[in-house]
mmCIF file with all atom_site columns, all heavy atoms in Angstrom:
data_model
loop_
_atom_site.group_PDB
_atom_site.id
_atom_site.type_symbol
_atom_site.label_atom_id
_atom_site.label_alt_id
_atom_site.label_comp_id
_atom_site.label_asym_id
_atom_site.label_entity_id
_atom_site.label_seq_id
_atom_site.pdbx_PDB_ins_code
_atom_site.Cartn_x
_atom_site.Cartn_y
_atom_site.Cartn_z
_atom_site.occupancy
_atom_site.B_iso_or_equiv
_atom_site.pdbx_formal_charge
_atom_site.auth_seq_id
_atom_site.auth_comp_id
_atom_site.auth_asym_id
_atom_site.auth_atom_id
_atom_site.pdbx_PDB_model_num
ATOM 1   N N   . ARG H 1 33 ? -155.298 8.624  91.426 1.00 0.00 ? 33 ARG H N   1
ATOM 2   C CA  . ARG H 1 33 ? -153.933 8.431  91.930 1.00 0.00 ? 33 ARG H CA  1
ATOM 3   C C   . ARG H 1 33 ? -153.386 7.127  91.364 1.00 0.00 ? 33 ARG H C   1
ATOM 4   O O   . ARG H 1 33 ? -154.080 6.115  91.339 1.00 0.00 ? 33 ARG H O   1
ATOM 5   C CB  . ARG H 1 33 ? -153.967 8.367  93.464 1.00 0.00 ? 33 ARG H CB  1
ATOM 6   C CG  . ARG H 1 33 ? -152.634 8.177  94.112 1.00 0.00 ? 33 ARG H CG  1
ATOM 7   C CD  . ARG H 1 33 ? -151.923 9.522  94.245 1.00 0.00 ? 33 ARG H CD  1
ATOM 8   N NE  . ARG H 1 33 ? -150.978 9.535  95.344 1.00 0.00 ? 33 ARG H NE  1
ATOM 9   C CZ  . ARG H 1 33 ? -149.721 9.118  95.234 1.00 0.00 ? 33 ARG H CZ  1
ATOM 10  N NH1 . ARG H 1 33 ? -149.275 8.658  94.097 1.00 0.00 ? 33 ARG H NH1 1
ATOM 11  N NH2 . ARG H 1 33 ? -148.915 9.171  96.269 1.00 0.00 ? 33 ARG H NH2 1
ATOM 12  N N   . ILE H 1 34 ? -152.155 7.150  90.870 1.00 0.00 ? 34 ILE H N   1
ATOM 13  C CA  . ILE H 1 34 ? -151.494 5.939  90.386 1.00 0.00 ? 34 ILE H CA  1
ATOM 14  C C   . ILE H 1 34 ? -150.741 5.364  91.576 1.00 0.00 ? 34 ILE H C   1
ATOM 15  O O   . ILE H 1 34 ? -149.710 5.900  91.985 1.00 0.00 ? 34 ILE H O   1
ATOM 16  C CB  . ILE H 1 34 ? -150.549 6.252  89.215 1.00 0.00 ? 34 ILE H CB  1
ATOM 17  C CG1 . ILE H 1 34 ? -151.338 6.871  88.064 1.00 0.00 ? 34 ILE H CG1 1
ATOM 18  C CG2 . ILE H 1 34 ? -149.819 4.992  88.769 1.00 0.00 ? 34 ILE H CG2 1
ATOM 19  C CD1 . ILE H 1 34 ? -150.476 7.373  86.924 1.00 0.00 ? 34 ILE H CD1 1
ATOM 20  N N   . THR H 1 35 ? -151.252 4.282  92.135 1.00 0.00 ? 35 THR H N   1
ATOM 21  C CA  . THR H 1 35 ? -150.707 3.760  93.386 1.00 0.00 ? 35 THR H CA  1
ATOM 22  C C   . THR H 1 35 ? -149.517 2.820  93.189 1.00 0.00 ? 35 THR H C   1
ATOM 23  O O   . THR H 1 35 ? -148.781 2.571  94.127 1.00 0.00 ? 35 THR H O   1
ATOM 24  C CB  . THR H 1 35 ? -151.796 3.025  94.189 1.00 0.00 ? 35 THR H CB  1
ATOM 25  O OG1 . THR H 1 35 ? -152.339 1.978  93.376 1.00 0.00 ? 35 THR H OG1 1
ATOM 26  C CG2 . THR H 1 35 ? -152.896 3.982  94.600 1.00 0.00 ? 35 THR H CG2 1
ATOM 27  N N   . ASP H 1 36 ? -149.332 2.292  91.991 1.00 0.00 ? 36 ASP H N   1
ATOM 28  C CA  . ASP H 1 36 ? -148.223 1.353  91.804 1.00 0.00 ? 36 ASP H CA  1
ATOM 29  C C   . ASP H 1 36 ? -146.996 2.020  91.170 1.00 0.00 ? 36 ASP H C   1
ATOM 30  O O   . ASP H 1 36 ? -146.120 1.346  90.652 1.00 0.00 ? 36 ASP H O   1
ATOM 31  C CB  . ASP H 1 36 ? -148.662 0.127  91.009 1.00 0.00 ? 36 ASP H CB  1
ATOM 32  C CG  . ASP H 1 36 ? -149.328 0.475  89.697 1.00 0.00 ? 36 ASP H CG  1
ATOM 33  O OD1 . ASP H 1 36 ? -149.520 1.668  89.422 1.00 0.00 ? 36 ASP H OD1 1
ATOM 34  O OD2 . ASP H 1 36 ? -149.654 -0.446 88.949 1.00 0.00 ? 36 ASP H OD2 1
ATOM 35  N N   . LEU H 1 37 ? -146.925 3.336  91.230 1.00 0.00 ? 37 LEU H N   1
ATOM 36  C CA  . LEU H 1 37 ? -145.763 4.091  90.765 1.00 0.00 ? 37 LEU H CA  1
ATOM 37  C C   . LEU H 1 37 ? -145.372 5.026  91.908 1.00 0.00 ? 37 LEU H C   1
ATOM 38  O O   . LEU H 1 37 ? -146.017 6.032  92.146 1.00 0.00 ? 37 LEU H O   1
ATOM 39  C CB  . LEU H 1 37 ? -146.110 4.897  89.508 1.00 0.00 ? 37 LEU H CB  1
ATOM 40  C CG  . LEU H 1 37 ? -145.015 5.700  88.851 1.00 0.00 ? 37 LEU H CG  1
ATOM 41  C CD1 . LEU H 1 37 ? -143.853 4.809  88.441 1.00 0.00 ? 37 LEU H CD1 1
ATOM 42  C CD2 . LEU H 1 37 ? -145.558 6.414  87.632 1.00 0.00 ? 37 LEU H CD2 1
ATOM 43  N N   . SER H 1 38 ? -144.338 4.637  92.659 1.00 0.00 ? 38 SER H N   1
ATOM 44  C CA  . SER H 1 38 ? -143.933 5.382  93.853 1.00 0.00 ? 38 SER H CA  1
ATOM 45  C C   . SER H 1 38 ? -142.488 5.831  93.735 1.00 0.00 ? 38 SER H C   1
ATOM 46  O O   . SER H 1 38 ? -141.566 5.064  94.007 1.00 0.00 ? 38 SER H O   1
ATOM 47  C CB  . SER H 1 38 ? -144.098 4.513  95.100 1.00 0.00 ? 38 SER H CB  1
ATOM 48  O OG  . SER H 1 38 ? -145.436 4.138  95.264 1.00 0.00 ? 38 SER H OG  1
ATOM 49  N N   . PRO H 1 39 ? -142.270 7.075  93.322 1.00 0.00 ? 39 PRO H N   1
ATOM 50  C CA  . PRO H 1 39 ? -140.894 7.564  93.206 1.00 0.00 ? 39 PRO H CA  1
ATOM 51  C C   . PRO H 1 39 ? -140.268 7.754  94.580 1.00 0.00 ? 39 PRO H C   1
ATOM 52  O O   . PRO H 1 39 ? -140.965 7.948  95.573 1.00 0.00 ? 39 PRO H O   1
ATOM 53  C CB  . PRO H 1 39 ? -141.052 8.899  92.489 1.00 0.00 ? 39 PRO H CB  1
ATOM 54  C CG  . PRO H 1 39 ? -142.431 9.334  92.816 1.00 0.00 ? 39 PRO H CG  1
ATOM 55  C CD  . PRO H 1 39 ? -143.242 8.081  92.961 1.00 0.00 ? 39 PRO H CD  1
ATOM 56  N N   . ARG H 1 40 ? -138.942 7.705  94.625 1.00 0.00 ? 40 ARG H N   1
ATOM 57  C CA  . ARG H 1 40 ? -138.215 7.962  95.864 1.00 0.00 ? 40 ARG H CA  1
ATOM 58  C C   . ARG H 1 40 ? -137.687 9.388  95.829 1.00 0.00 ? 40 ARG H C   1
ATOM 59  O O   . ARG H 1 40 ? -137.197 9.854  94.814 1.00 0.00 ? 40 ARG H O   1
ATOM 60  C CB  . ARG H 1 40 ? -137.063 6.990  96.019 1.00 0.00 ? 40 ARG H CB  1
ATOM 61  C CG  . ARG H 1 40 ? -137.533 5.596  96.261 1.00 0.00 ? 40 ARG H CG  1
ATOM 62  C CD  . ARG H 1 40 ? -136.371 4.709  96.573 1.00 0.00 ? 40 ARG H CD  1
ATOM 63  N NE  . ARG H 1 40 ? -136.867 3.364  96.856 1.00 0.00 ? 40 ARG H NE  1
ATOM 64  C CZ  . ARG H 1 40 ? -136.091 2.355  97.116 1.00 0.00 ? 40 ARG H CZ  1
ATOM 65  N NH1 . ARG H 1 40 ? -134.797 2.515  97.129 1.00 0.00 ? 40 ARG H NH1 1
ATOM 66  N NH2 . ARG H 1 40 ? -136.597 1.173  97.355 1.00 0.00 ? 40 ARG H NH2 1
ATOM 67  N N   . GLY H 1 41 ? -137.770 10.073 96.946 1.00 0.00 ? 41 GLY H N   1
ATOM 68  C CA  . GLY H 1 41 ? -137.283 11.448 97.021 1.00 0.00 ? 41 GLY H CA  1
ATOM 69  C C   . GLY H 1 41 ? -138.288 12.419 96.452 1.00 0.00 ? 41 GLY H C   1
ATOM 70  O O   . GLY H 1 41 ? -139.422 12.069 96.130 1.00 0.00 ? 41 GLY H O   1
ATOM 71  N N   . ASP H 1 42 ? -137.858 13.651 96.317 1.00 0.00 ? 42 ASP H N   1
ATOM 72  C CA  . ASP H 1 42 ? -138.770 14.698 95.853 1.00 0.00 ? 42 ASP H CA  1
ATOM 73  C C   . ASP H 1 42 ? -138.670 14.954 94.349 1.00 0.00 ? 42 ASP H C   1
ATOM 74  O O   . ASP H 1 42 ? -139.332 15.826 93.822 1.00 0.00 ? 42 ASP H O   1
ATOM 75  C CB  . ASP H 1 42 ? -138.545 15.989 96.638 1.00 0.00 ? 42 ASP H CB  1
ATOM 76  C CG  . ASP H 1 42 ? -137.171 16.605 96.374 1.00 0.00 ? 42 ASP H CG  1
ATOM 77  O OD1 . ASP H 1 42 ? -136.431 16.112 95.510 1.00 0.00 ? 42 ASP H OD1 1
ATOM 78  O OD2 . ASP H 1 42 ? -136.850 17.592 97.056 1.00 0.00 ? 42 ASP H OD2 1
ATOM 79  N N   . LEU H 1 43 ? -137.815 14.209 93.647 1.00 0.00 ? 43 LEU H N   1
ATOM 80  C CA  . LEU H 1 43 ? -137.630 14.320 92.192 1.00 0.00 ? 43 LEU H CA  1
ATOM 81  C C   . LEU H 1 43 ? -137.219 15.722 91.757 1.00 0.00 ? 43 LEU H C   1
ATOM 82  O O   . LEU H 1 43 ? -137.476 16.135 90.636 1.00 0.00 ? 43 LEU H O   1
ATOM 83  C CB  . LEU H 1 43 ? -138.909 13.900 91.453 1.00 0.00 ? 43 LEU H CB  1
ATOM 84  C CG  . LEU H 1 43 ? -139.398 12.481 91.713 1.00 0.00 ? 43 LEU H CG  1
ATOM 85  C CD1 . LEU H 1 43 ? -140.701 12.232 90.974 1.00 0.00 ? 43 LEU H CD1 1
ATOM 86  C CD2 . LEU H 1 43 ? -138.359 11.464 91.294 1.00 0.00 ? 43 LEU H CD2 1
ATOM 87  N N   . GLY H 1 44 ? -136.619 16.470 92.680 1.00 0.00 ? 44 GLY H N   1
ATOM 88  C CA  . GLY H 1 44 ? -136.205 17.835 92.349 1.00 0.00 ? 44 GLY H CA  1
ATOM 89  C C   . GLY H 1 44 ? -137.338 18.837 92.374 1.00 0.00 ? 44 GLY H C   1
ATOM 90  O O   . GLY H 1 44 ? -137.162 19.981 91.977 1.00 0.00 ? 44 GLY H O   1
ATOM 91  N N   . LEU H 1 45 ? -138.510 18.426 92.839 1.00 0.00 ? 45 LEU H N   1
ATOM 92  C CA  . LEU H 1 45 ? -139.674 19.310 92.866 1.00 0.00 ? 45 LEU H CA  1
ATOM 93  C C   . LEU H 1 45 ? -139.835 20.010 94.212 1.00 0.00 ? 45 LEU H C   1
ATOM 94  O O   . LEU H 1 45 ? -140.673 20.877 94.359 1.00 0.00 ? 45 LEU H O   1
ATOM 95  C CB  . LEU H 1 45 ? -140.949 18.516 92.552 1.00 0.00 ? 45 LEU H CB  1
ATOM 96  C CG  . LEU H 1 45 ? -140.963 17.827 91.196 1.00 0.00 ? 45 LEU H CG  1
ATOM 97  C CD1 . LEU H 1 45 ? -142.193 16.952 91.056 1.00 0.00 ? 45 LEU H CD1 1
ATOM 98  C CD2 . LEU H 1 45 ? -140.899 18.847 90.077 1.00 0.00 ? 45 LEU H CD2 1
ATOM 99  N N   . GLY H 1 46 ? -139.051 19.625 95.201 1.00 0.00 ? 46 GLY H N   1
ATOM 100 C CA  . GLY H 1 46 ? -139.175 20.203 96.533 1.00 0.00 ? 46 GLY H CA  1
ATOM 101 C C   . GLY H 1 46 ? -140.165 19.416 97.367 1.00 0.00 ? 46 GLY H C   1
ATOM 102 O O   . GLY H 1 46 ? -140.934 18.611 96.857 1.00 0.00 ? 46 GLY H O   1
#
Side-chain angles (χ1 to χ4, degrees):
R33 180 83 154 86
I34 300 173
T35 57
D36 53 356
L37 182 58
S38 299
R40 291 187 178 178
D42 66 6
L43 301 177
L45 300 174

